[in-house]
Amino acid sequence: MGKGLSNSEIAAVFSEIADILDLKNDNVFKIRAYRRAAQLIEGFEKPLSEVPDLEELPGIGRELAEKIWTLLKGEKLATLEKLRKEIEPGLLELLKIRGLGPKRVRTLNEKLGVKDLESFKQAVAGPEILELPGWGQKLVDDLKKSLGEFQKYSQRSRLDVAKVQAEEVVEWLKGAQGIERIEPAGSLRRRAETIGDIDILVTGKDANAVMEKFVGYPKVREVLSRGKTKSAVVLDSGIQVDVRFLEPESFGAGLHYFTGSKTHNIALRTLAKHKGLKISEYGVFRGAKRVAGRSEEEIYKLFGMDFIAPELREDRGELEAARTHKLPKLIELKDLKGDLQAHSEWTDGRNPISEIAARAKELGYAYIAMTDHSKSQRQAGGLSGGEMLKEWAEIDGLNRKLKGITILKGVELDILKDGGLDLPEKVLRQADIVLGSIHGNFNLSRAEQSARVLKAFSTGRVHVFAHPSTRLIGEREPIELDWEKIAPVMAKMKVAAEINASPHRLDVNGETAKYLKEQGLVFAISTDAHSLVGLQDMEYGVYTARRGWLEAQDVINTWGLSKLQKWLRERR
DNA sequence: GCCGTTTTCGGCCCGACTGTTTTCAGTCG
């Protein structure tokens, strides 16, 4: 592993600089430039070290490019070191508390000597805070509440958790009078892997009725704001939900605006400006005249663009592709003809193979791969070569009996620390499909980790690289992998990249998938189900694939059984 | 700090909501 910083680490440096500048009340546009750069870098699909000319990136000029080079060399950034000395380090954390921005934090610091979470806690409890101009009892009470929430719920929610709660709120709101359309927007609509707040847009005849209905939702723990067109609440679960009411002629514009992403919106807005148009959440305007806004299609059309699916709206080239009519025809759930990772009671799954196969058939699949663990996964009941052969014999028997579904004889094979395979090749040769997975030694360096998987793939026995990064969302960081080196070998050895559909994993993620597709790889979207319910997670894998610009043909389990089998055998 | 088919200087996205105010500051998205 080199000492240079990764993209997300560089993004974090720029975010920190922006925060400190904010606290120092520096030039807002300079601050915006740093934040914009941080966002760009965070979502950038390949390592910045491989970008020949950083200044070509939008929002990166000479100074930021130089700073990036410094960080890539593993050197410290003088700017940041200097700025850090100019403020109390504990103040940065306070900015994350709802209701506390740079101005208030600065006031607290200057007038009351607040320097971190602890001293802030004391300040809101004491009497002096109420003497500050503009600080009343209500504000202080609100800040106390946000402080409590910050300590309890500082993380974002997983996509599946947020989606279910949003759907419940939508159902409830449909009971309000005069509702015409209701649509969740925001990162949830873009199917991002984690969700901050849930945004729901509504249009109809009676805004007041909608707001009244919303704040009366039984699972509301607290109403944060209640206005004519916008209200916000916190649910019992801790998730914040915002509801906005829009007039029908503005609904498309509002939906677009609140779906984001922010960078996508800014890019489109900039384009609009060049055409003498102004975009807001109420529509697209030429002067005072609204020229579009009822639907999103209408807005994109105005700019000569095809409709851009929400999953693509991350400012990763979608506007240009829409303008030149080169957007991908994104994969859909109905394109899937099978599931390529599932576990049975032979190892750590809950159900017998027969039940899983029956459910797969109900889901409309033509095939399902049983991929129980290999022997190193002791805690999961991993199988030895002999036991694996017995499981496959059971599958042979089931396949002779079953109609309308084919069970593939698979294995989720551990890639050992040294890159060795966890079962003998002569056993693996009898499998229909072999998934290679990492389940331990997560902390190897980038070089060691990459060499490990490359050695495993060089055997030619692995068909799919399963949950490559091994990250668990909100729980475990991804391992270090050098995709620049790994992708060409996977392409040559015909190893597909898995998009693990479990909402805990979503691995590979959308950005990586987009990059790997560009390197010529194919993909498997698999649920990794350990129960019958788990088989239904496929939708989350499809969302992730769509965020990676994948089409049906890029995904091997959209193929018919015979085409898939041919691909699986071709390497022998 | 970035950027340029009106500019290498002078712009940079902006509206809603709350609280503490009598017209606005701060925060948020």
Side-chain angles (χ1 to χ4, degrees), chain A residues 342-352 356 372-373 380 529-531:
Chain A
H343 298 259
S344 76
E345 62 183 11
W346 276 85
T347 58
D348 57 350
R350 254 185 254 161
N351 307 85
I356 298 165
D372 278 303
H373 287 286
H530 287 69
S531 66

Side-chain angles (χ1 to χ4, degrees), chain A residues 42-45 193 316 509-516 547-548:
Chain A
E42 180 72 55
F44 202 67
E45 56 241 0
E193 54 207 28
R316 295 194 190 120
N509 64 17
E511 292 97 287
T512 308
K514 181 167 189 274
Y515 171 73
L516 295 178
R547 288 176 62 81

Side-chain angles (χ1 to χ4, degrees), chain A residues 103-120:
Chain A
K103 300 287 191 306
R104 285 176 184 154
V105 169
R106 218 154 67 94
T107 307
L108 287 170
N109 176 241
E110 284 170 3
K111 307 283 194 221
L112 300 182
V114 167
K115 58 182 173 59
D116 53 22
L117 205 56
E118 194 49 43
S119 48
F120 173 64

